[in-house]
Amino acid sequence: MYDPTVARLTYRALLGRRRAAILFVLPALLLIIAVAVRTFAGADDQVASDVLGGFAIATMVPLIGVIAGTGAIGPEIDDGSIVYLLAKPVKRPTIIFTKLIVAIAVTMVFCALPTLVAGLILNGNGQQIAVAYTIAALVASIAYSALFLLLGTVSRHAVVFGLVYALVWEALFGSMVPGARTLSVQQWSLAVAEKVGGAGTITSEVGLPVATVLLAAVTVVATWYAGQKLRTLKLAGEE
């Protein structure tokens, strides 16, 4: 289910000079904010939770997920180079699964590690806040990568739709409309963080059992459907 050649090509596409520069911006900004907050406000558990929840989980993780998830396959479909990959004796689910693994790895590295470092800077992992939000970033990276990889497979405007989901649905509706929070990857990941962090430091609108089921379901269904769409794309090219 994992092809090293496909993985190498996908890493090269995602970590090219221009895209890598974009990937570094948000983690660098998070660390700058963490240093500034610690300098001026000192170590405070609630402030640390607000910064990590409000910027790292609500903004950085979904945006990097958009870049990594859509970038793992979208550019190849747009420029037609995916045809050469489909011509190789590699199963379509293997292509999707390999690209998903790469997208997850990239998203985790650029999200989870900066979140952990920022948490340690903010309050030295008091109340397990740094670890809790790092775990939230890890689980959210998996779901976002699968979701945005699917968008990259089904639409030539995947980045636009991904940004709409990340910035409008997650950040706007997810924070203002109670019903929308149930269908938010952000809230699902916070449910995991809530279990790890100190009592009352992290809250989620979704219970942990429901969040776990939804995270797994979105990841599995999105990955499966992306594989099915890639099969269809091959048939369209042959016709």
Side-chain angles (χ1 to χ4, degrees):
M1 290 298 292
Y2 181 85
D3 188 275
T5 301
V6 175
R8 185 175 65 254
L9 294 174
T10 306
Y11 275 118
R12 185 181 301 173
L14 285 178
L15 300 177
R17 185 174 302 174
R18 184 168 61 181
R19 186 169 279 110
I22 297 174
L23 288 172
F24 274 107
V25 170
L26 288 173
L29 183 57
L30 173 62
L31 296 178
I32 292 172
I33 292 173
V35 171
V37 170
R38 179 59 185 267
T39 300
F40 293 106
D44 184 282
D45 293 343
Q46 187 57 53
V47 171
S49 182
D50 290 343
V51 172
L52 295 179
F55 185 82
I57 302 301
T59 302
M60 182 181 73
V61 179
L63 289 181
I64 290 180
V66 169
I67 297 171
T70 61
I73 196 170
E76 291 177 299
I77 294 177
D78 291 342
D79 62 21
S81 62
I82 190 69
V83 174
Y84 299 100
L85 183 58
L86 296 179
K88 303 296 182 181
V90 182
K91 295 180 180 179
R92 304 305 168 256
T94 298
I95 294 175
I96 289 297
F97 184 76
T98 302
K99 288 182 174 294
L100 174 62
I101 293 299
V102 173
I104 289 173
V106 170
T107 306
M108 284 183 172
V109 168
F110 283 93
C111 292
L113 288 179
T115 299
L116 177 60
V117 174
L120 293 175
I121 292 172
L122 286 165
N123 76 333
N125 196 37
Q127 298 290 317
Q128 293 292 307
I129 289 175
V131 171
Y133 278 108
T134 299
I135 294 174
L138 289 172
V139 297
S141 295
I142 298 173
Y144 281 130
S145 295
L147 183 61
F148 296 133
L149 179 65
L150 172 61
L151 281 178
T153 306
V154 303
S155 174
R156 291 181 178 273
H157 305 289
V159 174
V160 175
F161 290 131
L163 290 175
V164 168
Y165 176 83
L167 298 178
V168 178
W169 182 265
E170 290 272 12
L172 184 60
F173 286 99
S175 62
M176 297 176 60
V177 182
R181 297 171 187 167
T182 307
L183 301 177
S184 168
V185 175
Q186 174 188 336
Q187 292 297 323
W188 304 341
S189 64
L190 287 176
V192 180
E194 184 179 13
K195 185 68 174 180
V196 178
T201 57
I202 304 171
T203 59
S204 172
E205 299 294 328
V206 183
L208 182 60
V210 174
T212 303
V213 171
L214 290 174
L215 283 167
V218 165
T219 302
V220 171
V221 172
T223 304
W224 171 82
Y225 192 60
Q228 298 304 306
K229 293 302 293 183
L230 200 60
R231 292 177 188 272
T232 305
L233 183 66
K234 179 192 174 187
L235 295 174
E238 289 179 342
E239 293 173 356

